[in-house]
Structures are given as structure tokens and as C-alpha cells.
Amino acid sequence: MRSRVLLVTGGAGFIGSNFILEAVRRGHAVVNLDALTYAGNMDNLASLHGNSAHTFVHGSILDSALIARLLDEHRPDAIVHFAAESHVDRSILGPAAFVDTNIIGTFTLLEAALKHARSLAEDDRKTFRFLHVSTDEVYGSLSPDEAAFHEETPYRPNSPYSASKAASDHLVRAYFHTYGLQVVTTNCSNNYGPYQFPEKLIPLMIHNAINGKSLPVYGDGQNVRDWLYVTDHCDAILTVLEDGTPGETYNVGGLNEQKNLDVVKILCTILDELHAEGAPHDRLITYVKDRPGHDRRYAIDCRKLQSSLGWSPKESFETGIRKTVQWYLDNAVWVEKIVSGEYREWITGNYASRA
Ligand code: NAD
Ligand code: TYD
């Protein structure tokens, strides 16, 4: 891929920061617009300090004047839109922020992108891309024997999070069909890897296990997720950015369905080996009250991305999960800075009611 200028939103979060590290490594220049909510963390990008390929802008996708200024000043080849409220449990306890950021924020960004695209010469307008990063959760929940989600699966979102992402996907689609904005959307399964905020299943369980705290498995622990190592997701986004067809959506998945309880047990086994203190860690597993409306199973059919653009996940779950546990063991300071702040209130609020 030739070197590009990318306006990345939400680049201080989990996937966005992994994406920026990879994009800069591949020779792209990135302008990173992030509001630094509880999930944004500049420590994720510490290795880019002083690197002129990364420009950080503290601000919101709800600020249309700021976005217009950034588009005008930096004239990016593409917008890569990660910024979102992303945690299902938070969306259940406080859905308003999800409507604001995920729906109104995406709308604000689309409006600014369209205005900008219209100001470009025809050739540049055709190559300009708006890449919308979305989730498999928009498709709802699968029964055990149902075929995996494909790009034509009807949308049936069940949580305020997935409903807000579904709404944003529909807006993105409409800006292509109505206005001709050159959009592409990716719908990805659950990611894991370095820099994931320890409110999500895998980093939360690693953190709790290391600290001798209980491992709260929702319901019966038999819910299934399709786990993808984060750098494989970043690679898929860069592939779609380069070769994806405007107006198309691409499902991205790990080809790796796992029951939650099995994931937790695997983490315990790896920790027994890498962090023997506290072993056996599976004694900490505790079943807690289920998440309301908890989707039973997600699985992604990513054959379109594989066959049309030649992408496939490179990391196996065995290697990826081991690397992830090792990363959290090696980066205790990164975790400690997070868990000493607002995080404590969230943990008390979310888990006290599940006891
Ligand atoms: P995250 O919660 O770790 O990061 C979100 C980032 O967006 C944070 O840096 C936050 O500060 C920023 N942000 C929030 N509101 C903003 C605003 N108004 N303006 C600018 N920045 C704002 O999320 P993530 O897990 O990295 O997910 C990134 C994207 O990928 C999301 O759109 C999410 O829906 C999607 N996605 C995530 C997963 C997953 O497993 N984590 C899977 C599929 C798709
Ligand atoms: P999560 O990481 O929040 O991702 P998502 O809800 O977007 O799939 O949760 C992954 C799975 O793990 C989901 O089925 C809920 C479950 N889970 C637990 O059992 N315990 C927990 O403490 C958390 C945070 C999640």
C-alpha cells in the first residue's frame, strides 16, 4: 500500500491504538482524534512520542467545526472511524452516551466527511475513503447450530451498544447510496490482545486472577464468542482500506469460537504456568448473575474478505492468548494506572449487583 494520511478517530483506545502503531510501522501518517474518555489512554501510544508520523488531537467526533478544520488542514486520504462507546455492560447501565457517541458522533463525522469530499477534485473524491469500524453484534444472537453471520444476515441488535452500532452502520450505508460518499464498513468479532481495557472479559479475568480476585463468569458460562487477535483485525482494516469496494461491508472473524468458561479456564492454565503464585487460578471462578439480554453465540463467516481480498487471521488462539497473558504480566504498570482511577467505581457498580 502506498503511504497515506489517515484521520483516525478513537485512536487512543484498544483497537485504535493497535491500528495506529501498525499503520505508522507500515509508513502511513496518522492524525488521531480522540476525546480521551475513560477508555482512551495515551500510554498506548507512548512508543510514538516524538514521531512526526503521529499527530494527536484531543477532541470529540461530536465537534463538527474541529473535524472540518482537521480535514481542511491535513487533507487525509481516508477517515478510519473507531471512536465509540464499546462496552455492552456500560450500555445497559447508561445507554445515553452510546446514542450520543455512536449514532450522533458517526452522523457528525459523516456530514463533515461528505462536505470535505465534495470540496475535492473528482479523482480525489473517488479515492477518498470513510472506513467505518463496526461489530458482529449488530446481527444479534445465534443458536448453537445456526450458520455464522455473513454480510447479508439481517440486523437484529439486542443491546443498547449493538443497537447504536447498527444505527451508525445504517447511516454509513445511507451516505453511500444517497450521497455517493466512498464508504466501506467492517463488522468484526470480539478482539483480544495488548492494550485492551480491563473491563472486557479477557483482560478483566487476567487482572483478577493475578490479584487473587474472583473470576466472575456471567450465567452458565456457555455463551460463545469468536475471538480474533487485535493485530489481525488491524491488518483486515488496512486490507479493506486498500482494496475494499466502496459501499461494501466485510465481516472480519477469528474462525475461533470459544465458550466463555473455556476461555477463562485456558487463561487460568496459562497463568498457572507463567505466574505460579496463586495457582491453581481456576479456584477463583465464580458464577454470577447473567447480563440482561445476553447474546448466546456470535460466529463470523469471513469468506468474503478471505476470497475477495486475500485476508486471513495469522495468529492462532493458542499463540495469541499466551502472548496476551504475557503482555499483561509484563505491563503491570499500564494496568495499575487504569485500575487506580474511575475503574474502581465501575467494578463496584457492575459486579456488586451480580453477587
Ligand atoms: P475502546 O472503548 O477501547 O476505545 C474507544 C476510543 O474512542 C477511546 O479511545 C475513547 O476515548 C474514544 N472516544 C469515545 N468517544 C469519543 C468521541 N466522542 N470522540 C472521539 N473519541 C472518542 O474501543 P475498542 O474496543 O478499541 O473498539 C473500537 C471500535 O471497534 C469501536 O467502534 C467498536 O464498536 C469496534 N469493535 C470493537 C470490538 C472489540 O472486541 N473491542 C470488536 C468489533 C468492533
Ligand atoms: P465482553 O468482553 O464484554 O464482550 P462482548 O459482550 O462485547 O461480547 O464479554 C465477552 C463475553 O464474556 C460475554 O459473553 C460476556 C462475558 N463476560 C463474563 O462472563 N464476565 C465478565 O465479567 C465480563 C466482562 C464478560
Side-chain angles (χ1 to χ4, degrees), residues 5 10 32 94 125-126 130 185 208 303 312 326 353:
V5 177
N32 173 10
R125 189 160 62 238
K126 279 192 190 142
F130 185 105
T185 295
N208 282 15
R303 279 178 294 181
S312 267
Q326 190 64 60
S353 61

Side-chain angles (χ1 to χ4, degrees), residues 63-119:
D63 184 343
S64 55
L66 173 62
I67 302 163
R69 181 170 69 72
L70 294 178
L71 289 169
D72 200 41
E73 257 176 45
H74 297 278
R75 311 200 72 74
D77 300 293
I79 295 174
V80 186
H81 177 35
F82 293 94
E85 289 294 333
S86 70
H87 188 33
V88 172
D89 291 321
R90 287 194 193 241
S91 83
I92 294 168
L93 293 174
F98 289 71
V99 172
D100 286 347
T101 303
N102 300 359
I103 307 178
I104 311 290
T106 301
F107 166 71
T108 307
L109 197 60
L110 282 165
E111 278 285 281
L114 179 61
K115 200 167 173 204
H116 175 72
R118 283 178 167 164
S119 75

Side-chain angles (χ1 to χ4, degrees), residues 96-308:
F98 289 71
V99 172
D100 286 347
T101 303
N102 300 359
I103 307 178
I104 311 290
T106 301
F107 166 71
T108 307
L109 197 60
L110 282 165
E111 278 285 281
L114 179 61
K115 200 167 173 204
H116 175 72
R118 283 178 167 164
S119 75
L120 299 173
E122 198 186 342
D123 283 355
D124 293 339
R125 189 160 62 238
K126 279 192 190 142
T127 56
F128 181 76
R129 290 286 180 279
F130 185 105
L131 192 148
H132 178 57
V133 181
S134 192
T135 166
D136 60 353
E137 306 197 19
V138 296
Y139 298 120
S141 182
L142 293 167
S143 58
D145 303 323
E146 234 175 318
F149 302 130
H150 54 84
E151 285 79 2
E152 304 306 320
T153 302
Y155 274 33
R156 290 199 179 92
N158 292 319
S159 72
Y161 164 65
S162 54
S164 66
K165 290 297 289 188
S168 69
D169 291 11
H170 291 320
L171 281 168
V172 170
R173 178 188 160 87
Y175 272 65
F176 173 75
H177 285 276
T178 306
Y179 305 116
L181 185 67
Q182 301 293 281
V183 308
V184 267
T185 295
T186 53
N187 292 89
C188 189
S189 60
N190 287 63
N191 284 214
Y192 68 100
Y195 303 115
Q196 187 167 30
F197 194 87
E199 66 185 352
K200 305 278 170 66
L201 179 75
I202 288 178
L204 179 116
M205 293 296 173
I206 298 171
H207 171 68
N208 282 15
I210 293 170
N211 290 285
K213 294 187 183 149
S214 69
L215 308 179
V217 172
Y218 294 171
D220 62 4
Q222 300 301 300
N223 301 64
V224 172
R225 296 294 183 263
D226 174 0
W227 293 98
L228 178 70
Y229 195 66
V230 63
T231 51
D232 277 325
H233 185 191
C234 297
D235 185 45
I237 291 168
L238 285 161
T239 302
V240 171
L241 199 56
E242 180 66 8
D243 295 322
T245 305
E248 294 285 314
T249 66
Y250 295 88
N251 280 356
V252 188
L255 306 168
N256 173 45
E257 288 183 56
Q258 301 279 346
K259 290 177 180 151
N260 292 341
L261 186 59
D262 292 339
V263 171
V264 176
K265 285 183 175 166
I266 290 167
L267 292 172
C268 289
T269 307
I270 298 173
L271 278 167
D272 288 350
E273 191 191 318
L274 300 181
H275 183 77
E277 186 187 318
H281 292 89
D282 63 2
R283 74 192 154 78
L284 298 168
I285 292 176
T286 314
Y287 293 91
V288 299
K289 199 167 146 199
D290 210 353
R291 172 188 281 173
H294 196 174
D295 285 338
R296 194 64 174 168
R297 174 177 165 241
Y298 302 144
I300 275 277
D301 177 343
C302 57
R303 279 178 294 181
K304 176 176 172 182
L305 184 55
Q306 291 183 298
S307 60
S308 64

